[in-house]
Amino acid sequence: MKAYPILLVLLASMCSHGETSETDSERLQSLLEPIKSLSANFVQSVFDADGFEIDSSQGLFKVASPSKVLWHVTAPLEQQVISDGSTLWVYDPDLDQVIVNSVDGRLSATPAVLFSGDLESLEASYEVAQKSLNIETPSFVLTPRDNASLFSTIELQFVGREPVAIIITDTLGHSTAIVLSALQLNPLLHEETFVFSIPADVDIINNVQ
């Protein structure tokens, strides 16, 4: 399974500006608020409705405010998804192909809003329920308000105040678990990290023009 659909969960900066309150939505935002950038390795596992693993991949990603992301699948098949906040590049070396898209308001209808720092959009798009009340291992389950969403639930898991896993369940009962490791919070990430230089002699599908 390609990482592109799942990357939408991460396609934005992990920062927010709301104050902590007693609502579950704002509790979640209070955990994300201190994170202005992030770097981590990931293992992504896909399970069928019976819980059997059907696909796995691994790689690294970096995110920074606003809406900048580098998602690099290194195995089993390489893929890079890069956004500088306005342009999104999806590069598949095995296909010798780059797809270029705009980053626009359509992302508000995807799980990207989880990390946008926009509490109003978060509450408008999802019902947020705190699953684990343990202060050491809090977790939150988000249910899309839009019945046409491709996702039925999204679970965010933390250890302390650090995000450690994202579990996405689709409407067919399949789930994707993204487990983070070697996590660095608020590293200095340079602008060029989020700009993709298109290699020569690859097919370009430009959806921006």
Side-chain angles (χ1 to χ4, degrees):
M1 176 179 289
K2 290 297 185 180
Y4 180 40
I6 303 305
L7 175 72
L8 293 177
V9 177
L10 304 166
L11 183 60
S13 66
M14 297 185 69
C15 69
S16 65
H17 304 285
E19 297 180 358
T20 302
S21 77
E22 294 302 316
T23 71
D24 289 350
S25 292
E26 290 181 335
R27 287 193 189 102
L28 175 58
Q29 288 294 95
S30 74
L31 289 171
L32 299 178
E33 190 277 332
I35 304 174
K36 311 304 180 186
S37 62
L38 181 151
S39 176
N41 297 330
F42 69 85
V43 173
Q44 177 176 279
S45 302
V46 181
F47 302 89
D48 65 17
D50 295 319
F52 293 101
E53 184 175 318
I54 57 177
D55 190 60
S56 65
S57 59
Q58 63 184 35
L60 60 90
F61 77 90
K62 303 175 188 290
V63 290
S65 175
S67 302
K68 297 175 183 177
V69 62
L70 165 67
W71 175 271
H72 187 182
V73 177
T74 57
L77 293 175
E78 184 180 8
Q79 183 189 54
Q80 295 184 52
V81 183
I82 300 174
S83 170
D84 63 0
S86 59
T87 302
L88 175 68
W89 298 270
V90 181
Y91 174 46
D92 286 291
D94 57 316
L95 300 177
D96 288 325
Q97 177 180 281
V98 176
I99 301 174
V100 185
N101 287 301
S102 295
V103 176
D104 57 28
R106 288 174 297 179
L107 291 178
S108 64
T110 75
V113 73
L114 301 182
F115 300 99
S116 69
D118 187 344
L119 179 58
E120 185 174 324
S121 293
L122 176 64
E123 293 180 330
S125 299
Y126 295 94
E127 295 181 5
V128 180
Q130 187 166 355
K131 179 179 179 180
S132 170
L133 300 178
N134 189 325
I135 192 172
E136 296 298 326
T137 57
S139 64
F140 298 82
V141 174
L142 299 99
T143 304
R145 298 184 186 276
D146 184 356
N147 293 331
S149 174
L150 296 176
F151 305 96
S152 58
T153 62
I154 302 168
E155 181 176 344
L156 301 180
Q157 299 178 351
F158 295 80
V159 170
R161 300 187 65 85
E162 295 186 352
V164 296
I166 303 165
I167 302 172
I168 305 165
T169 303
D170 67 21
T171 54
L172 298 177
H174 297 83
S175 62
T176 300
I178 302 171
V179 179
L180 310 181
S181 63
L183 184 71
Q184 298 180 52
L185 297 180
N186 300 320
L188 177 62
L189 300 176
H190 298 287
E191 294 288 334
E192 55 266 27
T193 301
F194 305 103
V195 177
F196 182 66
S197 297
I198 298 178
D201 301 321
V202 300
D203 293 330
I204 301 174
I205 301 175
N206 193 336
N207 295 322
V208 175
Q209 298 178 347

